[in-house]
Amino acid sequence: MRYADYHRRSIELPEAFWAEQAGLIDWHRPWDQVLDATRKPFARWFPGGLTNLCHNAIDRHLPWRAEQPALIWESTEVDQSRSYTYAQLHAEVQRMAAVLRRQGVEQGDRVLIYMPMIPEAVFAMLACARLGAIHSVVFGGFAAMSLATRIDDAQPKVVVSSDAGSRAGRVIPYKPLLDEAIARATHKPDTVLMVDRGLQPYEPVVGRDLDYVAACAAVGGTPVACTWVDATHPSYILYTSGTTGRPKGVQRDTGGYAVALAVSMRDIFRAEPGQTYFCTSDIGWVVGHSYIVYGPLLHGMTTLLYEGTPLRPDAGSFWQLVERHRVSVMFSSPTAIRVLKKFDTAFMRNSDLSSLQRLFLAGEPLDEPTAAWIAQALGKPVVDNYWQTETGWPILSIAGGVEELAPKPGSPGVAMAGYDVQILHDSTGEPVAPGEKGVVAIGWPLPPGCMQTVWGDDARFVGTYWSTFPGKQVYSTFDWGVADASGYITILGRTDDVINVAGHRLGTREIEESISSHTAVAEVAVVGAADAIKGQVAMAFVVPRDAGKMADAAACASLEASIMQTVQAQLGALARPARVRFVAMLPKTRSGKLLRRSIQALCEQRDPGDLTTLEEPLALAQIREAIAHQ
């Protein structure tokens, strides 16, 4: 089948197309209609249909996969591992569901999950889905103030948490942060269910805190049947990363989400039931929801849950896991690969990677040098994909399960099924010609699996996402992009990350890509800083491959000049950064995203903002020092 025809049908005949795809999951009762379009821009998929995410992820596989591993947990932080078959996962999830039900959790209630990357976090997510409750996973280690705002917004009946997590060998206490957050919050949860890992002693709050082991013992093996919910029933709330002020909770449905993930596992990830899927993300982010927990299990796969970093115990940790568990499909981030790029490829060659079929990368733009390096080092196809917390699954990629289209360097690919992707002029809202920059937008309706609304705030959903272009029913991604004549789209960065230099617009992605092509550069971040004459100028922060050069002023000056020449030769003098500063590391979140806005704030002598998810405080200190010594 030609992919162009497949995609065209999903846009021109969406109801017929998605009715066919809905057969990929189990339904307790068929839907009344495929798409309820009575309240645009809201789109309600499969209303009237009854289903359950937990049933589709576990129960329906039991007749064939009871003894197949469903969930494998590996922690290089505490040197532990556990494996659960589908039958064992079924039992653990029922036990967690029984505990939550005993605490009064019913359909529609919220449960906030503030957990490290441990199996009990997955049990909690699936148990909520089983009960028809709505889970809200908050990234483990989030600061008390940020956590408090999420507690007030979601108003959970129960919070599931742990004594502590571990990151790069450092214990991160969770309980003190949670206690402070609850003290700050107006809403008070009835129960805090605590999983004690023995990493950090804590004092339970009498009458509120409940030990997980004791609670499980109290319910024994009580069976808990799946609660059948309408396809439009919310499955979870996930707050967008970097939210400041009033949090913005992305609300996801149940039936449409299950169908979309099932389609993506077949079309994009080309996975097979029974294979092992390894996603290196965190369950606190959307990638972890969709492709650690729900997607692989819906597809009857074994999913690998990893607590650790790419470098613990060494730069071969990912590849050792691939060998040990015969991973077929791996999903990671460009940032993680750029970290590994600093090390010898022997770390890959020392592991048997024959089981690995392809590597998928997403999270931020994948630069061509990094893509070429990892593809050559692995000897495996590397597939880019682009999406957002709001969409829940890829907007752009290569759907090799439909047609094996050739990838194009620098582009994540073409629009996936159901996404009517358009590149629009930022002022007029009119489509731009191939090769011209514009705002990446998606025509109504968003396909199944995308956000229903902002939790508790329909007006904010409409005002934020659907009002960029008055008179047009289009969703704005707030990303700049450019499409070629074949429909391949390149993402140039956020619309608020575009640098306006003397009236000329330049995407930070373009400059970063150019600098990354320099052989002496390991990593780079480019931001726009205010300038009295030009309006803005580009400032580049580079991690050199040879860290020893940072101590040599002459060597730094020579490298800076060489990088400037590279950018000028590739993009022109206008794109040349005002300065290139050298640091040993870049500030990133624990999920690997660069904190560009914080870097920009420091360049402009402003408060760097919410640093809750900062991986290494020293990295931001290095940025400050580099700026101070310009």
Side-chain angles (χ1 to χ4, degrees):
M1 179 187 300
R2 292 182 67 251
Y3 179 74
D5 296 333
Y6 179 80
H7 179 261
R8 187 179 303 110
R9 185 166 185 268
S10 76
I11 301 302
E12 296 177 353
L13 299 170
E15 295 189 51
F17 179 87
W18 289 110
E20 293 172 5
Q21 310 312 315
L24 293 172
I25 72 166
D26 277 3
W27 297 88
H28 184 66
R29 186 182 74 194
W31 55 86
D32 296 329
Q33 60 184 127
V34 176
L35 173 62
D36 177 1
T38 57
R39 223 181 127 227
K40 294 181 179 180
F42 301 91
R44 299 173 72 243
W45 290 98
F46 310 111
L50 295 184
T51 189
N52 182 280
L53 263 181
C54 185
H55 166 83
N56 278 286
I58 303 175
D59 297 54
R60 69 171 175 151
H61 300 305
L62 292 176
W64 304 278
R65 304 189 183 281
E67 301 309 312
Q68 175 192 311
L71 174 68
I72 296 174
W73 175 60
E74 288 275 6
S75 174
T76 55
E77 296 290 336
V78 295
D79 294 323
Q80 294 178 11
S81 63
R82 286 185 248 159
S83 181
Y84 301 87
T85 64
Y86 271 90
Q88 290 168 334
L89 182 59
H90 183 245
E92 293 288 355
V93 170
Q94 286 195 97
R95 192 172 292 116
M96 176 71 83
V99 169
L100 293 176
R101 189 170 62 181
R102 180 169 282 201
Q103 301 310 308
V105 175
E106 300 175 345
Q107 179 177 338
D109 287 335
R110 275 78 65 207
V111 174
L112 189 142
I113 301 169
Y114 183 62
M115 296 278 275
M117 290 283 284
I118 57 176
E120 290 81 1
V122 177
F123 301 164
M125 293 171 69
L126 290 164
C128 289
R130 193 170 193 85
L131 294 170
I134 303 166
H135 64 66
S136 181
V137 180
V138 177
F139 186 77
F142 237 45
M145 180 64 78
S146 299
L147 180 56
T149 61
R150 286 149 176 78
I151 290 172
D152 278 338
D153 196 64
Q155 300 191 336
K157 181 171 284 188
V158 172
V159 173
V160 184
S161 191
S162 178
D163 58 328
S166 181
R167 183 74 175 175
R170 301 192 307 268
V171 171
I172 303 171
Y174 284 16
K175 187 60 161 59
L177 294 171
L178 176 59
D179 287 344
E180 182 184 346
I182 293 175
R184 288 175 176 270
T186 302
H187 174 82
K188 308 298 180 185
D190 297 339
T191 305
V192 172
L193 182 62
M194 289 295 301
V195 177
D196 188 357
R197 306 182 67 191
L199 296 179
Q200 183 75 29
Y202 69 90
E203 287 295 324
V205 175
V206 177
R208 186 197 73 186
D209 294 356
L210 180 64
D211 179 73
Y212 177 67
V213 173
C216 286
V219 299
T222 305
V224 178
C226 289
T227 298
W228 300 107
V229 298
D230 193 275
T232 62
H233 179 72
S235 58
Y236 65 78
I237 307 162
L238 183 59
Y239 293 95
T240 53
S241 59
T243 298
T244 56
R246 187 164 59 96
K248 184 171 60 183
V250 169
Q251 178 181 314
R252 192 87 63 211
D253 71 0
T254 298
Y257 184 52
V259 171
L261 290 185
V263 168
S264 73
M265 295 302 293
R266 180 196 66 195
D267 291 358
I268 302 171
F269 296 99
R270 303 172 66 179
E272 296 292 338
Q275 292 179 337
T276 300
Y277 194 105
F278 178 24
C279 176
T280 70
S281 184
D282 188 286
I283 59 165
W285 309 126
V286 69
V287 176
H289 281 58
S290 294
Y291 297 113
I292 293 177
V293 182
Y294 292 115
L297 294 177
L298 282 165
H299 206 55
M301 302 184 76
T302 300
T303 187
L304 181 56
L305 179 75
Y306 177 55
E307 182 184 42
T309 72
L311 303 180
R312 185 175 173 88
D314 55 42
S317 61
F318 281 178
W319 318 117
Q320 291 157 18
L321 292 171
V322 169
E323 175 182 358
R324 188 177 310 146
H325 300 292
R326 307 300 297 162
V327 171
S328 296
V329 182
M330 183 174 171
F331 190 164
S332 194
S333 69
T335 299
I337 301 305
R338 282 191 283 266
V339 168
L340 294 174
K341 190 178 173 184
K342 302 174 190 176
F343 297 87
D344 196 314
T345 55
F347 284 107
M348 277 179 262
R349 296 196 304 271
N350 289 340
S351 294
D352 177 4
L353 305 181
S354 58
S355 64
L356 186 64
Q357 295 174 354
R358 51 192 60 87
L359 171 67
F360 291 83
L361 297 174
E364 58 183 22
L366 174 62
D367 57 282
E368 187 176 344
T370 298
W373 176 82
I374 188 63
Q376 182 177 11
L378 280 179
K380 308 284 183 177
V382 174
V383 185
D384 196 359
N385 57 115
Y386 158 79
W387 46 301
Q388 302 177 319
T389 299
E390 289 85 347
T391 66
W393 63 289
I395 300 170
L396 305 172
S397 191
I398 299 295
V402 180
E403 181 186 4
E404 191 71 77
L405 297 177
K408 292 189 178 182
S411 170
V414 299
M416 293 295 93
Y419 288 107
D420 180 14
V421 179
Q422 306 167 20
I423 310 296
L424 304 180
H425 190 281
D426 63 319
S427 298
T428 66
E430 294 302 312
V432 300
E436 292 184 15
K437 302 175 191 176
V439 177
V440 181
I442 304 169
W444 190 90
L446 293 180
C450 293
M451 70 186 298
Q452 290 176 292
T453 187
V454 172
W455 172 255
D457 199 341
D458 286 353
R460 192 176 184 188
F461 171 67
V462 176
T464 300
Y465 297 103
W466 296 91
S467 302
T468 301
F469 301 106
K472 286 184 174 290
Q473 200 88 84
V474 295
Y475 166 98
S476 176
T477 66
F478 299 103
D479 280 321
W480 289 102
V482 58
D484 68 12
S486 302
Y488 284 74
I489 295 172
T490 298
I491 303 300
L492 303 175
R494 300 293 287 174
T495 54
D496 52 5
D497 284 343
V498 170
I499 302 171
N500 194 325
V501 180
H504 298 273
R505 291 183 171 184
L506 301 168
T508 57
R509 163 76 189 281
E510 296 171 286
I511 304 173
E512 286 180 351
E513 183 105 11
S514 177
I515 294 174
S516 292
S517 70
H518 194 289
T519 56
V521 173
E523 291 186 87
V524 58
V526 174
V527 299
D531 181 81
I533 298 174
K534 297 183 178 181
Q536 281 185 306
V537 293
M539 306 297 292
F541 295 85
V542 166
V543 178
R545 285 186 177 278
D546 184 356
K549 289 185 176 180
M550 291 173 55
D552 185 333
C556 284
S558 174
L559 181 54
E560 179 178 28
S562 178
I563 289 172
M564 296 279 203
Q565 289 171 2
T566 297
V567 175
Q568 181 166 335
Q570 294 181 1
L571 301 177
L574 195 66
R576 190 175 57 202
R579 284 299 308 271
V580 177
R581 299 185 174 101
F582 300 101
V583 293
M585 63 183 80
L586 295 171
K588 302 170 187 171
T589 67
R590 288 191 291 277
S591 67
K593 288 191 176 182
L594 283 169
L595 290 168
R596 289 182 176 84
R597 292 184 188 178
S598 295
I599 297 173
Q600 182 186 46
L602 292 179
C603 287
E604 297 178 346
Q605 299 183 335
R606 295 185 284 107
D607 186 326
D610 184 3
L611 301 176
T612 295
T613 61
L614 180 63
E615 168 75 25
E616 177 51 71
L618 181 60
L620 213 59
Q622 289 190 9
I623 297 291
R624 283 194 178 96
E625 185 177 352
I627 294 170
H629 291 85
Q630 57 180 311

